């Protein structure tokens, strides 16, 4: 039975089969320098939620998901390549029957095993089993207060289930963190959510921008506009300062940046205390449940799957498939729009490739940038996105938006300047 919350959600689409026998090219020296440090592994596309922002349109299992034997072999290959952390995702990872065995093997091969989950099915037994298998830490998704979270997750009661999952995991001795999307519905609730999550015992909280991929591409009302980076980053700065005394480390996702005045506060652990260029295919590896390999788990499958582990070993795919290599010799010449002429172009390289590709149809120009929004504000201008092409309705799909640059309405300009300077809150 479909659960309705707001506009009805479509049934989860059937995923296409894996992409097989893709092109291999000769490895270059640079392809052997970069190695995956963090692998994010969708072990099944089955899901027990119907999230309105789900980029993979999860629900049904893929028709050709890896067998247990194939999954164990892939774990061994990741270890041989030097992967340090494997994050299990879905769908919902715990809906794969052999997931505990995968946790055990990952841990036994010397890699940290972590998981990201909506938490609906994390009860005390599953939490204890995960801990016994060696689970290092688990991040539970919480996207706002009860009403907002339940509406975004598509299932009434999912907010309470997420908080219960945090309790069960903590009771089992697993370190707990949270992740939240920063979108039009959640933006103004995150600061109020902090004490609830801190009281639950989280030690870390990652906030990432809602991106129009999958189901999120079907509803532009879920998205922020690029000029709202002027309010997102001061809010994150307040969140960091409020969370620190409570023992919670707030971290912005890779698609929240870049080079604004709060970078040192938001990213103190990063080199030079700022966000770097896209790590897809450099230090990050994405794996789909059918063995398809990408440089980042979020990237659209059609454009970025480089190979399948049923056709070639992981090292060969990493070194010799063009879709995994686009960041390794990226230069300013690969950028376009305002990103190409930006002062930080060579260091930033347009930031998150996933965000720019699914918004504008190709990577290299990222309007969701704090520095860019501030520069435009100084000119009395801003950028807005308008839907141009709908998404076709498949897992990891996207539509396309038109980017409009315009003069700030006079009635909003002073307010925008005050918000950007931290003198007041909220543009909208």
């Amino acid at each position: 039975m479909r659960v309705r919350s707001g506009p009805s959600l479509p049934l989860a689409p059937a995923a296409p089969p894996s992409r097989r026998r893709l092109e291999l090219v000769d490895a270059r020296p640079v392809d052997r320098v970069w190695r995956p440090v963090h692998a994010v592994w969708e072990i099944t596309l089955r899901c027990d939620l119907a999230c309105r922002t789900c980029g993979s349109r999860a629900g049904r299992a893929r028709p050709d998901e890896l067998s247990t034997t194939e999954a164990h072999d892939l774990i061994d290959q990741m270890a041989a390549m030097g992967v340090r952390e494997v994050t299990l995702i879905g769908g919902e990872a715990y809906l794969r029957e052999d997931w505990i065995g995968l946790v055990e093997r990952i841990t036994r091969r010397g890699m940290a095993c972590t998981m990201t989950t909506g938490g609906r099915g994390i009860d005390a037994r599953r939490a204890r089993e995960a801990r016994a298998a060696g689970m290092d830490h688990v991040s539970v998704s919480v996207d706002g207060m009860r009403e907002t979270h339940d509406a975004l997750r598509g299932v009434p009661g999912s907010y309470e289930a997420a908080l219960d999952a945090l309790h069960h995991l903590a009771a089992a001795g697993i370190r707990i963190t949270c992740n939240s999307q920063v979108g039009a519905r959640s933006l103004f609730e995150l600061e109020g959510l902090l004490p609830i999550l801190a009281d639950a015992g989280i030690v870390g909280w990652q906030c990432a921008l809602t991106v129009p991929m999958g189901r999120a591409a079907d509803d532009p009302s879920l998205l922020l506009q690029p000029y709202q980076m002027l309010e997102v980053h001061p809010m994150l700065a307040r969140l960091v300062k409020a969370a620190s005394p409570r023992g919670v480390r707030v971290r912005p996702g890779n698609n929240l940046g870049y080079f604004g005045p709060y970078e040192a506060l938001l990213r103190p652990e990063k080199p030079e205390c700022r966000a770097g260029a896209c790590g897809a295919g450099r230090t990050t590896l994405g794996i789909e449940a059918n063995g398809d390999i990408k440089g980042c788990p979020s990237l659209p499958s059609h454009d970025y799957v480089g190979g399948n582990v049923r056709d070639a070993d992981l090292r060969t795919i990493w070194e010799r498939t063009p879709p995994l290599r686009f960041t390794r010799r990226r230069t300013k010449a690969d950028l376009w729009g305002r990103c190409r002429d930006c002062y930080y172009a060579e260091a930033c390289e347009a930031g998150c490739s996933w965000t720019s590709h699914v918004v504008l149809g190709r990577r290299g120009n990222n309007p969701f940038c704090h520095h860019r929004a501030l520069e435009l504000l100084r000119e009395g201008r801003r950028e807005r996105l308008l839907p141009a092409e709908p998404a076709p309705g498949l897992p990891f799909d996207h539509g396309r938006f038109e980017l409009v640059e315009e003069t700030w309405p006079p009635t909003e300009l002073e307010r925008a300047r005050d918000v950007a300077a931290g003198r007041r809150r909220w543009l909208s």
Side-chain angles (χ1 to χ4, degrees):
M1 181 178 71
R2 187 191 308 177
V3 177
R4 297 179 182 270
S5 181
S8 61
L9 284 170
L11 294 174
S18 55
R19 305 192 67 203
R20 304 293 300 275
R21 293 171 286 280
L22 299 178
E23 176 188 17
L24 293 175
V25 297
D26 291 337
R28 307 161 301 182
V30 69
D31 300 316
R32 297 189 175 100
V33 170
W34 292 106
R35 280 293 179 263
V37 175
H38 184 200
V40 182
W41 185 7
E42 168 212 287
I43 61 173
T44 182
L45 202 56
R46 287 183 63 197
C47 194
D48 52 13
L49 292 170
C51 302
R52 304 197 69 83
T53 57
C54 181
S56 61
R57 300 184 187 268
R60 303 183 189 184
R62 293 180 184 272
D64 51 357
E65 295 185 349
L66 296 178
S67 68
T68 299
T69 299
E70 290 171 324
H72 284 189
D73 180 65
L74 179 54
I75 291 168
D76 294 344
Q77 292 186 58
M78 284 190 277
M81 287 195 69
V83 172
R84 299 176 193 169
E85 178 182 347
V86 181
T87 299
L88 303 182
I89 63 170
E92 272 295 356
Y94 56 71
L95 293 179
R96 181 173 167 128
E97 293 182 359
D98 62 356
W99 76 287
I100 290 296
L102 301 185
V103 176
E104 290 174 341
R105 194 173 187 94
I106 291 166
T107 303
R108 206 161 54 238
R109 291 307 310 266
M111 297 176 286
C113 185
T114 61
M115 184 167 76
T116 299
T117 175
R120 187 180 179 202
I122 297 289
D123 54 17
R125 177 185 60 81
R126 278 185 168 138
R128 289 194 299 267
E129 289 176 348
R131 175 58 179 162
M135 183 69 73
D136 184 80
H137 78 264
V138 174
S139 181
V140 177
S141 301
V142 183
D143 288 330
M145 296 301 203
R146 179 183 286 102
E147 182 179 354
T148 296
H149 179 94
D150 283 1
L152 290 173
R153 293 285 157 177
V155 177
S158 58
Y159 174 83
E160 292 298 335
L163 295 185
D164 287 345
L166 288 170
H167 169 78
H168 293 312
L169 292 163
I174 295 176
R175 191 160 55 104
I176 53 172
T177 61
C178 272
N179 61 89
S180 298
Q181 293 206 23
V182 184
R185 296 193 188 182
S186 63
L187 174 62
F188 308 118
E189 297 186 7
L190 296 182
E191 289 179 272
L193 194 57
L194 171 61
I196 297 169
L197 299 182
D199 288 346
I202 68 168
V203 296
W205 188 7
Q206 184 180 68
C207 298
L209 194 68
T210 298
V211 171
M213 183 164 157
R215 293 192 191 116
D218 300 337
D219 186 358
S221 72
L222 300 174
L223 309 174
L224 294 174
Q225 288 291 343
Y227 64 80
Q228 288 184 282
M229 298 303 99
L230 297 173
E231 57 190 357
V232 168
H233 288 268
M235 181 276 293
L236 289 175
R238 294 192 298 271
L239 208 56
V240 168
K241 293 174 182 177
S244 182
R246 306 195 67 151
V248 178
R249 169 75 176 97
V250 175
R251 297 185 300 114
N254 294 331
N255 65 358
L256 274 172
Y258 304 88
F259 292 89
Y262 301 109
E263 281 292 283
L265 178 66
L266 299 178
R267 294 181 167 97
E269 77 288 351
K270 294 285 187 180
E272 302 180 28
C273 295
R274 60 170 175 78
C278 176
R282 288 175 172 169
T283 58
T284 304
L285 173 69
I287 307 169
E288 296 184 350
N290 56 16
D292 281 347
I293 303 298
K294 301 184 287 191
C296 166
S298 300
L299 289 168
S301 301
H302 180 269
D303 297 286
Y304 291 97
V305 166
N308 186 281
V309 294
R310 289 176 171 136
D311 296 328
D313 62 85
L314 185 61
R315 186 183 299 270
T316 295
I317 295 170
W318 177 266
E319 294 179 355
R320 297 181 56 194
T321 54
L324 269 71
R325 309 196 314 179
F326 72 91
T327 62
R328 297 175 194 168
R329 284 185 174 170
R330 202 175 194 180
T331 69
K332 182 177 178 179
D334 297 311
L335 310 184
W336 58 285
R338 276 192 170 256
C339 280
R340 184 161 187 169
D341 297 324
C342 178
Y343 176 83
Y344 296 109
E346 292 183 354
C348 179
E349 297 177 355
C352 177
S353 301
W354 166 50
T355 302
S356 55
H357 190 119
V358 302
V359 170
L360 299 177
R362 61 186 175 116
R363 59 183 181 261
N365 183 21
N366 189 348
F368 287 99
C369 170
H370 192 207
H371 169 73
R372 179 160 158 173
L374 287 169
E375 290 293 296
L376 282 161
L377 181 63
R378 292 187 184 98
E379 301 170 17
R381 299 183 68 75
R382 68 181 187 182
E383 290 177 318
R384 285 192 303 116
L385 294 173
L386 298 175
E389 295 178 11
L394 296 172
F396 290 96
D397 66 350
H398 62 90
R400 186 179 62 81
F401 289 76
E402 290 183 358
L403 185 62
V404 176
E405 184 176 315
E406 62 188 11
T407 301
W408 269 96
T411 56
E412 298 178 34
L413 181 58
E414 285 307 312
R415 184 179 183 87
R417 287 171 174 160
D418 285 345
V419 168
R423 292 189 292 266
R424 65 195 300 178
R425 298 188 183 190
W426 319 136
L427 290 168
S428 52

